[in-house]
């Protein structure tokens, strides 16, 4: 960021209150999401190893499919927040409805693909002969809930854009409780086995989508916004989301390449990698909560033509990102000996993971700034730049990761390459933030 006068104390406190009010509930909602899979795994695991393996394959496919469409939340947040900043709540909710209609269309397309192709998809993913039937059953039934999952993403973006992260937290917690209860009742009470787990998740997701729709519809009626699908609005939502889709696919490719490289190093390395990756992902939830606050706050300031407020909020959030990154890094360093026994008792895996965890700890301040600036640029609607920056990052990371085993490096070297990846992201995002080209004011970008 360019040099600027220090933020006045009163302004800094106002930014802090806004960040906390949005980020804390967002963090709770983010943490609740992976608990769905954990609850399903805990319940299905008692059916047998084949069933659990089938669930693992199907849930990985579903998680990947849904994560690809996370732009529904990101793009909708930025667009709605701009309208809120401009003072046009009717247009803000209308913008959100376009995102929800796009989610329904994409969900229907995914169902049309998954239902007939499920066996082939499961086979391509490498499921064993015993696990494949269970994976296919779970995938086919759960795919019926994908439109609801995507509606949840889009509607979450609407509420975030309206500066409301509490409602998504309440819905996520209620959805987790309902999902666990339905799974237990249908799997064991009704004797449906893994199909019961899938139906329980579908019902819970549909109920969550219904709650979100009720909230958005109430807001639309209160502000006179139309609920009908608008082809031009849906097309605009898709165009805004396309660059973020490229960004997400590039990031997913980075994670897949890292896992593929670790798998070729040996059993201890891939096991340790999965442990380190799980912690890295957990830390990302804390940092992503600040990014979500950034999307909502920056979009609102730019919509209100308040460039000074946008710059001040950006600087303050960067400070938050650094502070939280340092705190998380210190936590990882001190908790390493306590964290690893939760996942493994194998001394080789522990020995392999320990130095890699140290690399993760040292990289957290970098990650803190990366997540914040990512959220700021998303809130500004700067999707094309984010897409370009992530493609560049993928191009730098890929040869670095592939060189690790070629040069005789181990897991620690691979995670050094992951840190290089985050450093490249930091450089590209910082250059954009410093240039000020992301600051485009108005109700639309």
């Amino acid at each position: 960021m360019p040099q600027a006068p220090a933020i006045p104390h009163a302004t800094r406190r106002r930014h802090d209150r806004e960040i906390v009010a949005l980020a804390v509930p967002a963090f709770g909602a983010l943490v609740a999401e992976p608990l769905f899979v954990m609850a399903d795994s805990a319940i299905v695991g008692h059916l047998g190893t084949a069933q659990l393996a089938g669930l693992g394959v199907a849930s990985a496919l579903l998680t990947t499919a849904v994560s690809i469409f996370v732009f529904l939340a990101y793009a909708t947040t930025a667009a709605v927040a701009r309208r809120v900043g401009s003072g046009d709540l009717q247009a803000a909710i209308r913008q959100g409805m376009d995102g929800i209609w796009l989610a329904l269309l994409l969900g229907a397309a995914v169902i049309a693909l998954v239902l007939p192709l499920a066996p082939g998809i499961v086979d391509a993913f490498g499921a064993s002969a015993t696990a494949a039937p269970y994976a296919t059953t779970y995938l086919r039934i759960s795919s019926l809930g994908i439109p609801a999952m995507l509606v949840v993403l889009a509607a979450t973006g609407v509420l975030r854009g309206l500066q409301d992260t509490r409602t998504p937290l309440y819905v996520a917690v209620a959805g987790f409780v309902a999902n666990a209860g339905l799974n237990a009742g249908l799997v064991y009470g009704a004797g449906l086995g893994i199909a019961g787990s899938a139906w329980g998740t579908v019902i819970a997701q549909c109920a969550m989508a219904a709650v979100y729709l009720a909230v958005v519809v109430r807001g639309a009626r209160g502000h006179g916004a139309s609920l009908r699908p608008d082809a031009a609005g849906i097309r605009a939502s898709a165009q805004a989301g396309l660059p973020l889709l490229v960004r997400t696919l590039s990031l997913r490719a980075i994670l897949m390449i890292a896992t593929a490289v670790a798998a070729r190093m040996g059993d201890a390395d891939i096991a340790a990698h999965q442990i380190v990756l799980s912690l890295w992902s957990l830390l990302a939830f804390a940092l992503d909560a600040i990014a979500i606050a950034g999307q909502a706050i920056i979009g609102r300031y730019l919509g209100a033509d308040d460039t000074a407020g946008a710059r001040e909020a950006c600087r303050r959030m960067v400070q938050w990102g650094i502070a939280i990154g340092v705190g998380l890094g210190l936590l990882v360093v001190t908790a390493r000996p306590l964290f690893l026994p939760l996942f493994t008792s194998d001394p080789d895996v522990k020995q392999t993971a320990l130095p890699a965890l140290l690399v993760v700890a040292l990289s957290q301040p970098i990650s803190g700034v990366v997540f914040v600036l990512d959220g700021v640029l998303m809130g500004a609607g700067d999707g094309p730049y984010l897409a370009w920056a992530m493609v560049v990052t993928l191009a730098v990371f890929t040869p670095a990761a592939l060189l690790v085993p070629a040069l005789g490096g181990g897991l620690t070297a691979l995670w050094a390459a992951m840190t290089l990846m985050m450093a490249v992201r930091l450089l590209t995002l910082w250059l954009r933030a410093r240039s000020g080209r992301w600051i485009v004011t108005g109700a639309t970008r």
Side-chain angles (χ1 to χ4, degrees), residues 166-391:
R166 290 183 179 273
T167 300
L169 171 61
Y170 300 148
V171 175
V173 171
F176 166 71
V177 173
N179 179 68
L182 286 166
N183 269 256
L186 294 174
V187 171
Y188 297 108
L192 296 180
I194 195 169
S197 176
W199 281 117
T201 300
V202 169
I203 295 170
Q205 291 286 354
C206 288
M208 291 171 65
V211 172
Y212 274 119
L213 288 174
V215 172
V216 174
V217 168
R218 186 176 63 210
R221 288 176 175 168
H223 292 90
S226 173
L227 298 174
R228 295 179 180 179
D230 176 67
I234 294 172
R235 186 165 54 251
S237 293
Q239 290 172 346
L242 183 59
L244 296 181
L245 174 61
V246 173
R247 168 198 169 275
T248 300
L249 289 174
S250 299
L251 180 57
R252 297 296 301 184
I254 287 170
L255 298 179
M256 289 175 64
I257 290 169
T259 299
V261 170
R264 285 161 175 75
M265 293 178 178
D267 290 346
D269 291 272
I270 185 59
H273 175 73
Q274 288 303 114
I275 293 172
V276 176
L277 184 61
S278 67
L279 177 62
W280 187 81
S281 300
L282 179 62
L283 297 174
F285 285 132
L287 299 174
D288 204 24
I290 305 296
I292 288 169
Q295 294 170 30
I297 293 170
I298 294 297
R300 192 188 75 234
Y301 275 120
L302 294 179
D305 296 328
D306 188 351
T307 59
R311 288 182 181 276
E312 290 172 355
C314 178
R315 285 198 297 273
R316 188 55 180 162
M317 282 184 283
V318 167
Q319 293 168 0
W320 271 77
I322 294 171
I324 293 176
V326 170
L328 291 175
L330 292 173
L331 180 63
V332 172
V333 170
T334 55
R336 281 185 307 159
L338 302 175
F339 175 76
L340 286 173
L342 297 175
F343 291 87
T344 182
S345 58
D346 188 324
D348 290 337
V349 175
K350 290 181 181 179
Q351 185 176 0
T352 303
L354 274 171
L357 284 174
L358 182 59
V359 174
V360 170
L362 293 174
S363 70
Q364 286 309 293
I366 296 175
S367 297
V369 179
V370 166
F371 274 80
V372 165
L373 292 180
D374 208 38
V376 166
L377 297 185
M378 282 185 191
D382 205 9
Y385 183 85
L386 289 172
W388 173 86
M390 190 59 79
V391 170

Side-chain angles (χ1 to χ4, degrees), residues 29-30 33 72-74 76-77 100 149-162 164-165 167-169 171 208 212 216 292:
L30 289 169
E33 290 173 7
L72 289 166
Y74 294 159
T76 305
T77 297
I100 290 173
M149 295 180 192
L150 300 189
V151 166
V152 166
L153 285 176
T156 299
V158 176
L159 295 181
R160 288 174 180 170
L162 293 171
D164 176 10
T165 56
T167 300
L169 171 61
V171 175
M208 291 171 65
Y212 274 119
V216 174
I292 288 169

